[in-house]
Amino acid sequence: MECLDENDNNMITDYVDEPVDDSYIRPEDKKQLLITIKNIYETRMPWADDILMKCMIKHHYKEVIKNMIKEDYLEEISKSDVDTLIEQL
């Protein structure tokens, strides 16, 4: 087992739960993303207990958000809103 000396913080920072900014994502999109991720893990890991499942879902969600391009998402949202409005006319 590795030891962590006072000058080496790498091992600690690898396990720190860093928050991601998902404030720009619509609530319904967050919900759909979580449902989709949950379905993936329920299918691929039916043997996983609830705690492991929650950890995997949370990690996957954060990775998706971290890798999203905010500007592209917001542009897509604005286009879809205009398209929806036009269709309703």
Side-chain angles (χ1 to χ4, degrees):
M1 186 167 166
E2 289 185 59
C3 293
L4 179 64
D5 67 22
E6 297 170 6
N7 299 323
D8 185 14
N9 290 328
N10 291 337
M11 288 176 58
I12 293 173
T13 57
D14 288 345
Y15 297 103
V16 173
D17 192 19
E18 295 182 23
V20 293
D21 177 21
D22 63 354
S23 61
Y24 63 93
I25 299 174
R26 298 185 305 185
E28 60 268 24
D29 291 339
K30 290 180 192 180
K31 182 178 178 182
Q32 188 57 50
L33 176 59
L34 286 167
I35 289 169
T36 301
I37 293 170
K38 181 179 179 189
N39 287 338
I40 290 169
Y41 285 106
E42 285 179 341
T43 303
R44 297 176 114 193
M45 300 170 63
W47 48 266
D49 66 357
D50 290 342
I51 295 171
L52 176 59
M53 192 68 72
K54 286 179 184 179
C55 289
M56 296 299 294
I57 292 168
K58 184 177 180 180
H59 174 75
H60 195 142
Y61 175 83
K62 286 183 173 190
E63 288 297 306
V64 169
I65 301 302
K66 189 168 48 172
N67 291 309
M68 280 182 70
I69 301 170
K70 181 178 179 177
E71 294 76 21
D72 290 351
Y73 172 79
L74 294 173
E75 182 180 335
E76 185 176 323
I77 296 301
S78 68
K79 284 181 181 177
S80 66
D81 288 345
V82 170
D83 292 343
T84 303
L85 289 172
I86 292 172
E87 288 177 12
Q88 292 176 353
L89 295 175

